[in-house]
Amino acid sequence: MAVLVEDGRIAWLRPMAGLDEAAVAGAREAGRGGVLTPGLVDCHTHLLFAGDRADEFAQRLQGVSYAELARAGGGILATVRATRAASEEQLLAAARPRLQALLADGVTTLEIKSGYGLTVADELKLLCVARRLGEELPVRVVTSLLGAHALPPEYAGNSDAYIALVCEEMIPAAAAEGLADAVDMFCEAIAFAPEQCARVFAAARRHGLPVRVHAEQLSNQGAAALAARHGALSADHLEYLDEAGVQAMAAAGSVAVLLPGAFLDLGAVRRPPIELLRRHGVPMALASDANPGTSPLYLPTLLLHLACTLFHLSPDEALAGMTVHAARALGHDDFGRIAAGQRADLCLWDVARPAELAYAVQAGRLRQRVFGGAITYAR
């Protein structure tokens, strides 16, 4: 199959056999052979943070649970302390190699969440750095304001007051400055209650921002169904999602974002309800959840493998999950496919068939990376 790119978009696709040479006269050939896929889309990352949580990793190996660490002031709040102390330049320098690793494994679009600042100024700082990364490197960055990620220590015992800050100051400021493309939040017993989520979703919609949600990761709070009623782009994690939640997502057109990296790292045993999602026609996206605490993974094709081995997706489902369905989870339909009119974000791989990308965990298979019609990596 031949693909012609013009002005950053795919102009047409035609079989190589019998291709009229006059149709491509003057065109520069980019590559032959291998397998061509859409550029990978990583639709759920927490790429911006300072510090690390290697000590917590060791504690979890000794049997301390994620919830126990969070209640003891660790987990997300440990990263918040380090991130608040970091400057924009320090955060940019720390994030750059993480992002470069994603690009080297085929990512052309990714979402970056805030969520490790938990003050208006610090959340905006993170969103500013995310925008700068998209300007500096050949990648499309979509941002999500995750101010309702955890309860900051200065609001201990007064979560409603913090939610008021998110709704009345944080969301309006991010919207006014054009820094957020969506609003996300963590609905869980160790985070925020469904009624608080509803307040955040309503505030986001008042400011013209779509919503997403971390839902049903550790328990069933009904967050996916709640988010679906607010027209959510996606609900993410979903290990405890029930059929009512699946039906609500199907009715709303919300995407299920599966995060096998966090599932693996936390030693979870309850898988998302894959068969229910299939039965009700809910698109299943796949993402790295790259973060310092529960998914410190920066090799997207590893996630293809984990989605197949841990969640029993087929290789085709996994690849669709990190291309077309991941783009949809970000509210986009003009990339993630190889079709006329799509943005020319493409990857040429040194494999014989697409299933090999999920079958083997092997860096260095990317031969060419095309972003917006320009070759940004070639070997």
Side-chain angles (χ1 to χ4, degrees):
M1 183 68 70
V3 179
L4 181 68
V5 172
E6 292 179 337
D7 299 323
R9 292 189 178 267
I10 297 172
W12 50 250
L13 293 82
R14 297 181 187 175
M16 290 291 291
L19 181 66
D20 181 1
E21 295 295 329
V24 292
R28 181 167 68 92
E29 183 176 305
R32 287 176 180 261
V35 167
L36 187 70
T37 71
L40 300 185
V41 179
D42 195 348
C43 65
H44 181 130
T45 84
H46 302 258
L47 203 70
L48 288 172
F49 59 88
D52 67 75
R53 305 226 297 268
D55 55 341
E56 292 185 10
F57 175 71
Q59 290 179 63
R60 291 206 313 275
L61 293 176
Q62 297 300 315
V64 182
S65 73
Y66 178 69
E68 288 170 332
L69 289 167
R71 284 193 292 268
I76 292 167
L77 292 183
T79 299
V80 168
R81 289 190 291 272
T83 303
R84 285 180 174 181
S87 68
E88 282 195 24
E89 295 305 321
Q90 289 170 325
L91 290 166
L92 189 68
R96 192 178 290 117
R98 300 171 196 141
L99 180 51
Q100 289 170 333
L102 297 178
L103 303 193
D105 204 41
V107 168
T108 52
T109 297
L110 83 159
E111 182 252 22
I112 298 178
K113 303 180 191 297
S114 62
Y116 292 127
L118 309 187
T119 69
V120 174
D122 287 305
E123 289 294 292
L124 296 183
K125 175 178 71 174
L126 288 167
L127 294 172
C128 284
V129 175
R131 292 288 196 223
R132 289 179 62 184
L133 283 169
E135 294 164 359
E136 178 183 305
L137 295 171
V139 64
R140 184 177 301 103
V141 172
V142 178
T143 59
S144 292
L145 172 65
L146 183 58
H149 194 193
L151 185 65
E154 58 269 25
Y155 282 87
N158 199 0
S159 60
D160 280 337
Y162 180 66
I163 290 297
L165 176 77
V166 172
C167 295
E168 296 167 15
E169 297 185 39
M170 201 177 285
I171 290 173
E177 296 186 29
L179 293 174
D181 298 312
V183 171
D184 198 347
M185 73 174 300
F186 188 17
C187 186
E188 189 57 71
I190 63 170
F192 297 100
E195 57 270 21
Q196 294 171 323
C197 294
R199 290 167 57 191
V200 171
F201 295 155
R205 300 309 297 268
R206 284 197 299 272
H207 290 276
L209 293 173
V211 300
R212 307 181 67 193
V213 66
H214 289 56
E216 275 71 85
Q217 181 186 11
L218 306 173
S219 62
N220 186 357
Q221 301 288 314
L226 172 65
R229 291 195 292 272
H230 288 265
L233 292 174
S234 75
D236 304 23
H237 286 290
L238 303 178
E239 282 86 339
Y240 285 82
L241 181 66
D242 60 16
E243 187 161 12
V246 173
Q247 291 173 333
M249 292 179 66
S254 301
V255 176
V257 179
L258 309 179
L259 305 173
F263 181 92
L264 174 70
D265 199 84
L266 289 173
V269 295
R270 178 166 174 153
R271 293 194 297 264
I274 303 301
E275 286 302 327
L276 278 176
L277 292 166
R278 286 179 179 141
R279 188 187 314 157
H280 289 280
V282 176
M284 291 182 287
L286 176 66
S288 70
D289 192 18
N291 76 75
T294 60
S295 190
L297 304 177
Y298 306 96
L299 187 68
T301 53
L302 168 62
L303 278 302
L304 300 176
H305 179 84
L306 294 179
C308 296
T309 56
L310 297 179
F311 293 165
H312 301 168
L313 268 64
S314 71
D316 285 347
E317 285 177 320
L319 184 57
M322 203 165 256
T323 53
V324 60
H325 297 324
R328 181 173 170 182
L330 298 179
H332 289 270
D333 61 7
D334 62 341
F335 56 83
R337 296 180 294 127
I338 302 177
Q342 290 275 293
R343 296 187 187 188
D345 298 344
L346 305 164
C347 287
L348 184 62
W349 304 90
D350 277 327
V351 297
R353 53 195 184 278
E356 290 182 41
L357 293 174
Y359 155 70
V361 179
Q362 178 181 344
R365 292 174 292 177
L366 183 63
R367 186 192 306 174
Q368 285 186 345
R369 178 184 181 275
V370 177
F371 177 66
I375 297 173
T376 60
Y377 172 81
R379 61 171 174 78

